[in-house]
Amino acid sequence: MKITILSDNIGCGSLEGEWGLSVHIVYGGKNYLLDTGGSELYLSNASKLGIDISDVDCAILSHAHYDHSRGLEAFFRVNRKAYLHISPNAGENCYGGIGFLSRYIGLPKGLLAAYGDRMKANGEVTEIDEGVFVVPHSTAGLSKIGRRSHLYVRCGWLYRPDDFSHEQSLVFRTENGLAVFNSCSHSGADVVVDEVRKAFPDESVTAYIGGLHLFRMSEAEVKAVAVRIRSAGISRVITGHCTGDKAFAVLKSCLGDAVEQFRCGMSITL
């Protein structure tokens, strides 16, 4: 299994960075794309890395925020064969901020109507390919995290705290255990791993890959997250994007070699 970071906050050499995430994965002889970043940047980075997005066999959207979905329209233009696996709760209705200060942070407007025939919605744990699964949230009470993070979903004229029901994890079965991808981990990596373990009670988690959404948290809060990660038994965390540089440094001091930082162009083999 080979993982390549196409888009991340941290650039590298000729590969530009942005606030967003896009990951290319080769598994079982097939090509997978998780998210498309905050623009079409992932396409140019992929080209520089010798990765042809038109060859992607299956695409997955982690959740309905702009920094993971703004490159989707370009994906559908470039790739004519792959379906996008999306949560049935993913809509064009995500906002950040409160009241008149709120701003739209959701899917590109009109995307669902324009490309709905290229999408497959999965509302439960689903094997989308042999050894490849999407796992939606099954934990109650996540809206309290949405309220604390000032993330909302608009329903008509009302805004409710985001419960991240539009978010899903991507899980691959490997020889050494399960590789879990969750692009922003809004609910917490420990919650995601607990959900995955409940879905696969006889299998272990070998790696957790994705952002941890810690960039606004205090040092004490990040240290508490590190404790929960250790308690969850996660032995390898490969993170970037919304984790943030300061938070990563704190995690590194707490977890040592168990945590690694990814950047554009980074190649990971599991």
Side-chain angles (χ1 to χ4, degrees):
M1 180 180 187
K2 182 180 179 181
I3 304 158
T4 305
I5 308 301
L6 303 181
S7 176
D8 176 55
N9 299 19
I10 304 175
C12 184
S14 66
L15 304 177
E16 295 183 44
E18 66 172 0
W19 181 265
L21 185 63
S22 179
V23 183
H24 182 265
I25 303 157
V26 179
Y27 174 89
K30 291 187 176 181
N31 297 293
Y32 299 85
L33 184 70
L34 172 63
D35 295 344
T36 58
S39 69
E40 297 183 16
L41 176 64
Y42 75 102
L43 288 175
S44 61
N45 283 348
S47 179
K48 291 173 183 177
L49 291 166
I51 295 173
D52 188 349
I53 297 300
S54 68
D55 285 339
V56 168
D57 298 292
C58 180
I60 304 93
L61 180 67
S62 64
H63 62 293
H65 286 171
Y66 76 96
D67 48 335
H68 300 264
S69 64
R70 275 194 183 158
L72 279 174
E73 291 172 295
F75 172 77
F76 289 126
R77 291 197 308 268
V78 170
N79 183 294
R80 298 293 184 177
K81 64 178 182 178
Y83 281 99
L84 175 72
H85 290 269
I86 187 171
S87 166
N89 298 311
E92 298 168 12
N93 59 351
C94 292
Y95 288 79
I98 302 175
F100 67 90
L101 294 176
S102 67
R103 63 187 181 92
Y104 183 68
I105 60 170
L107 299 173
K109 293 287 189 179
L111 181 81
L112 297 175
Y115 298 102
D117 60 339
R118 295 280 307 274
M119 301 180 188
K120 291 185 177 182
N122 311 291
E124 57 188 20
V125 178
T126 303
E127 188 169 19
I128 61 175
D129 216 337
E130 185 175 356
V132 185
F133 306 83
V134 289
V135 179
H137 281 310
S138 57
T139 303
L142 296 181
S143 59
K144 63 184 179 183
I145 298 174
R147 181 181 291 107
R148 187 166 63 243
S149 302
H150 304 308
L151 296 173
Y152 294 86
V153 173
R154 184 173 179 176
C155 304
W157 292 104
L158 299 177
Y159 293 81
R160 61 172 176 80
D162 199 336
D163 63 359
F164 308 108
S165 59
H166 56 90
E167 187 172 53
Q168 56 185 358
S169 299
L170 175 63
V171 178
F172 291 85
R173 182 175 281 139
T174 77
E175 293 180 357
N176 299 317
L178 302 173
V180 178
F181 293 77
N182 192 291
S183 295
C184 274
S185 310
H186 291 103
S187 64
D190 55 324
V191 171
V192 171
V193 169
D194 184 59
E195 292 172 342
V196 170
R197 284 184 171 145
K198 287 178 180 176
F200 304 92
D202 299 323
E203 301 181 61
S204 61
V205 174
T206 186
Y208 190 98
I209 302 100
L212 299 177
H213 212 261
L214 304 177
F215 69 101
R216 288 196 180 111
M217 289 192 178
S218 67
E219 181 175 341
E221 289 173 317
V222 176
K223 286 182 176 179
V225 170
V227 170
R228 293 199 298 273
I229 288 174
R230 187 184 295 111
S231 299
I234 308 171
S235 59
R236 188 178 185 188
V237 178
I238 310 169
T239 188
H241 179 43
C242 56
T243 298
D245 293 341
K246 291 182 179 179
F248 178 82
V250 175
L251 290 176
K252 191 70 175 175
S253 68
C254 295
L255 301 175
D257 291 341
V259 63
E260 307 164 55
Q261 187 168 53
F262 58 62
R263 64 191 65 230
C264 292
M266 183 175 177
S267 179
I268 305 154
T269 301
L270 294 179

